[in-house]
Every structure is written in structure tokens, then in C-alpha cells.
Amino acid sequence: MTGKGHRLTGLGAAFIAAAIAKIAGLDVFLQTVCALVAAVSTSLPDWIEIPYYRKGVRTGSLIKHRTYTHWPWIWVGLMYWGFSIKEIEGAAMIGAATGALSHILADAPNPMGIPWIHPLQRIRLGKKGWWRSGKNETVLVSLFTVFGVSIWVQVNPDNVFAQGLTQLTQESVRQISVVLQPLVQNFITYLSSNVIF
């Protein structure tokens, strides 16, 4: 995923982090801190590699790309540590770990792969990865956002904003159904009259 794509996954990461903070028993202020840190941490695994540039183009980094900083278990450990603190520092740790993990998951389909098991051994999905960086970013960003909002709504059933999102989603689905139903019916009628089985 490109840098822009990683930044856009911040919205979904923020909702996921807020939901995790709620489950961890953090108050609303700390949930907000967690969400804000997650939103700006979606490029963290690339930042902490300490990249260097020549004429505005990244030419390398002090830590080899997609090794230690992209190893999910470091971030899972940071999140676990954040659970034990239950203060603003813990919320920041949970948020940073959530943002970083969303970055790593977004990089996983790339042919380069990520180090799932050992920090120096990348594993790709499929024989050649699923797609190259920059492809399907809109789909991934949308999936992260929908997943994050869905999780957050599930853990906050009494929240007025969550109730509003639920009602908005239900009304949107109803409106889409009203528009699509005649189109689908016309398509089925067309197929049945023009296609011989």
C-alpha cells in the first residue's frame, strides 16, 4: 500500500482502537486518545525504519524495510503492555499498536510480504502476493473503515452517535434496496427472455 493509502486507513484504525480501548475498560477520554493516536500511527512501521532520501526519493533506511518494524508480534506486545497501564500512556500504546497493525495488514497482500513469524523472514500471501502496492487501495481503505465502524458500534450500543450510525446504515440499505430491486427484476426478465438455457 502507498503512504496515502496507509494514511487513509487511519479512520478505520481509529474506530478499531476506540473499540479495543472500550473493551479494555478505558474511559471515554482515553478511548479518544487511543483513536487519535491510531489515526496518525498507520504509517508508523515505515517511519521508525528511519528512511533516508536522495533528491526527494527514498533510497534506503537504517532498519531494512519490512523487517522488525513490520513484525506483528512487537505491536501485539505493545498493545498487551498498554492494557496493563490503563493511563494515557497505555491508551497511546494501544492506539499506536492498532495503527501499526493496520499498516501491516494492509501491506500483507503485497508481493514483498510481511514477517509473520520471524522478523527477518517475510512471507507473502499466495505464490506472488495478491497485488502490488497501490492496487485496490480504495477497497482496502473502505474495508478497514467499515470494519472499524462496525466493531465500534457493536461495543457502544448505548452511544448516541453509534445509534445514529446504525439508523443511517439501515436507512441506506433500505434506499439501496429500493433502487436496486427494479433493476435486478428487469435484468432477470431480460435474461429469461433473451437467453436460451
Side-chain angles (χ1 to χ4, degrees), residues 54-66:
R54 179 174 288 152
K55 296 181 182 178
V57 176
R58 183 177 172 154
T59 56
S61 59
L62 292 179
I63 300 171
K64 189 175 177 185
H65 187 52
R66 289 200 193 162

Side-chain angles (χ1 to χ4, degrees), residues 17-176:
I20 291 169
K22 169 85 175 192
I23 292 167
L26 301 180
D27 63 30
V28 173
F29 172 73
L30 294 178
Q31 290 173 38
T32 305
V33 167
C34 201
L36 292 173
V37 171
V40 298
S41 295
T42 54
S43 294
L44 189 59
D46 287 342
W47 297 342
I48 63 176
E49 289 174 346
I50 311 169
Y52 44 89
Y53 298 85
R54 179 174 288 152
K55 296 181 182 178
V57 176
R58 183 177 172 154
T59 56
S61 59
L62 292 179
I63 300 171
K64 189 175 177 185
H65 187 52
R66 289 200 193 162
T67 57
Y68 295 100
T69 64
H70 285 67
W71 193 41
W73 302 109
I74 288 176
W75 301 106
V76 170
L78 182 67
M79 187 179 292
Y80 183 74
W81 188 16
F83 285 156
S84 66
I85 294 177
K86 305 264 185 191
E87 298 291 331
I88 196 163
E89 297 87 356
M93 289 174 167
I94 293 168
T98 304
L101 286 168
S102 71
H103 175 107
I104 292 166
L105 288 174
D107 278 347
N110 188 282
M112 185 183 275
I114 62 163
W116 290 102
I117 299 167
H118 187 276
L120 297 175
Q121 183 182 6
R122 294 185 208 123
I123 299 171
R124 71 175 63 112
L125 301 175
K127 204 174 218 178
K128 296 181 180 178
W130 290 348
W131 55 75
R132 299 193 59 74
S133 287
K135 295 232 176 184
N136 302 311
E137 281 192 351
T138 304
V139 172
L140 281 175
V141 168
S142 300
L143 287 173
F144 273 102
T145 304
V146 168
F147 179 75
V149 171
S150 299
I151 295 297
W152 184 80
V153 166
Q154 290 296 315
V155 300
N156 289 288
D158 299 331
N159 184 292
V160 175
F161 183 64
Q163 290 170 353
L165 281 174
T166 302
Q167 289 174 347
L168 179 67
T169 303
Q170 290 171 344
E171 184 58 32
S172 297
V173 168
R174 234 184 328 274
Q175 292 298 323
I176 290 169

